[in-house]
Amino acid sequence: MLVLLLEVLVIMQIFNFIMKLLKQQTIDDEVIGDGVYRDAASIHNWLRCVMYNRRSRMNPLWNTVVVAGRDYSGKPYLGYVDKIGVSFEGNSVATGFGSYIAQPMMRKAMEENPNMTVQQAKEVMARCLKVLFYRDCRSLNRFQIGVVTETENSISEPISAETDWSIGANPSGYE
């Protein structure tokens, strides 16, 4: 239990360090005063360089970062950077255990309904997070959903997933 707590504290310290680097980069950009600002795509690229640089110096930042926002043209942007600088952008991204379970669920939903509404996307996310909670019961069933569209940036209030543990009373296939 103590080791898990220490790992969480280290990850939070690294996240705070990344946020401090990003804030300093924003200040540096404002000091230059040339009117250029960083959009989500340029922040994603900058984080990729930071993570790869730290990995190359054998001192990686042990976090995976998802960057969401808008690019210069105003279109929604979603990018992923891991601790060794591997990065990509896509219509859906997931980290950790979610990349194995939730990512295929999100891709399937997007293939079935490529023009889904924000509400439908939220329902898919809630279903993915519910499945992840059932698979890792040590986590919390509370989450927040962030929305980035061409007209909206928002983060929801904490939501609790509806759970039904009666399904575990009669497991089958383990005889």
Side-chain angles (χ1 to χ4, degrees):
M1 184 68 160
L2 181 61
V3 173
L4 179 63
L5 181 60
L6 290 176
E7 287 177 9
V8 169
L9 289 175
V10 168
I11 289 171
M12 287 304 297
Q13 287 175 341
I14 293 170
F15 175 76
N16 288 335
F17 177 74
I18 291 170
M19 292 305 294
K20 187 188 292 185
L21 284 177
L22 189 56
K23 189 176 282 188
Q24 185 59 50
Q25 187 66 36
T26 303
I27 291 169
D28 293 347
D29 288 345
E30 288 175 2
V31 167
I32 291 173
D34 58 1
V36 176
Y37 66 94
R38 292 183 185 267
D39 66 341
S42 61
I43 290 171
H44 177 242
N45 190 43
W46 178 78
L47 279 170
R48 178 194 54 81
C49 293
V50 168
M51 299 297 237
Y52 183 79
N53 182 18
R54 290 292 298 256
R55 166 255 178 127
S56 297
R57 291 186 292 147
M58 300 299 204
N59 188 15
L61 296 171
W62 287 85
N63 275 25
T64 300
V65 181
V66 174
V67 178
R70 292 192 193 99
D71 62 10
Y72 283 121
S73 64
K75 294 181 182 173
Y77 181 89
L78 188 60
Y80 167 100
V81 184
D82 71 2
K83 67 182 177 287
I84 61 173
V86 173
S87 70
F88 63 89
E89 59 183 90
N91 293 328
S92 66
V93 298
T95 64
F97 197 44
S99 61
Y100 300 106
I101 295 179
Q103 186 69 18
M105 292 172 67
M106 290 187 288
R107 285 184 181 149
K108 182 179 178 193
M110 290 174 64
E111 287 173 4
E112 291 173 356
N113 185 5
N115 298 319
M116 71 174 66
T117 64
V118 172
Q119 185 59 35
Q120 291 169 330
K122 286 181 179 182
E123 290 169 5
V124 169
M125 286 301 305
R127 195 173 100 245
C128 290
L129 291 166
K130 184 177 180 178
V131 169
L132 286 169
F133 175 67
Y134 279 137
R135 296 290 296 168
D136 184 11
C137 301
R138 295 172 296 171
S139 62
L140 293 175
N141 67 336
R142 293 176 56 86
F143 55 89
Q144 293 176 281
I145 295 179
V147 176
V148 177
T149 65
E150 292 180 3
T151 58
E152 174 188 8
N153 284 348
S154 66
I155 298 176
S156 72
E157 292 296 320
I159 304 166
S160 292
E162 301 278 333
T163 56
D164 179 15
W165 292 104
S166 66
I167 61 173
N170 299 319
S172 61
Y174 296 103
E175 290 82 50

